[in-house]
Amino acid sequence: MNYYKVCDNDYIIGVGTSTNKTDNAISEAEYQNIIQIIQTKPTAPDGYDYRLKTDFTWELVEVPAVEDEQKRGYTEGELLAMTNAELEQILYGYGRTANMNKENMVALILRLQEEN
């Protein structure tokens, strides 16, 4: 099993596992540490969320408005054709972080689209 994290500037936007080697490889210990930190994420006030920084601290940020592209909605086929990093960015637009496989991210995005 290979472990990886996806970062955007100073933020960790996702972690995951893969059977393939990845460019963003991390140790199992770091993966487990990040998972534990994500599971203890503080509760943010309405309209805000916490983003995990690469130094493993939480930063309170205002949740950005859902972009027009997200408002129109994606089809399951469009989502399945995207990379995990692209799916994680969409989830971030909904104020969510991802720690799941591609199929689960697609299912979550489809559910979030129905709710909005």
Side-chain angles (χ1 to χ4, degrees):
M1 184 66 57
N2 297 296
Y3 302 90
Y4 66 91
K5 70 178 172 184
V6 179
C7 296
D8 183 22
N9 294 318
D10 294 332
Y11 300 97
I12 297 172
I13 60 172
V15 294
T17 60
S18 174
T19 55
N20 300 319
K21 296 280 186 192
T22 66
D23 292 335
N24 310 356
I26 59 174
S27 68
E28 181 179 4
E30 183 176 358
Y31 172 82
Q32 293 299 334
N33 182 47
I34 295 170
I35 294 297
Q36 184 171 3
I37 291 168
I38 290 171
Q39 291 172 343
T40 59
K41 176 180 170 181
T43 303
D46 288 342
Y48 291 85
D49 195 12
Y50 282 98
R51 292 179 66 185
L52 183 58
K53 297 182 74 170
T54 53
D55 66 0
F56 305 118
T57 60
W58 291 104
E59 179 180 41
L60 183 65
V61 294
E62 189 171 1
V63 175
V66 177
E67 297 175 14
D68 290 339
E69 186 73 11
Q70 290 173 329
K71 288 181 183 176
R72 78 154 176 89
Y74 295 97
T75 66
E76 184 174 3
E78 289 172 325
L79 293 169
L80 288 171
M82 294 180 183
T83 66
N84 283 10
E86 290 170 319
L87 296 172
E88 289 164 352
Q89 283 294 110
I90 292 170
L91 286 171
Y92 179 74
Y94 284 105
R96 304 289 178 96
T97 55
N99 176 27
M100 55 188 75
N101 64 32
K102 185 174 194 167
E103 291 76 20
N104 289 340
M105 284 192 284
V106 168
L108 177 57
I109 292 168
L110 292 172
R111 191 181 84 227
L112 290 169
Q113 288 179 162
E114 289 174 8
E115 292 174 1
N116 290 317

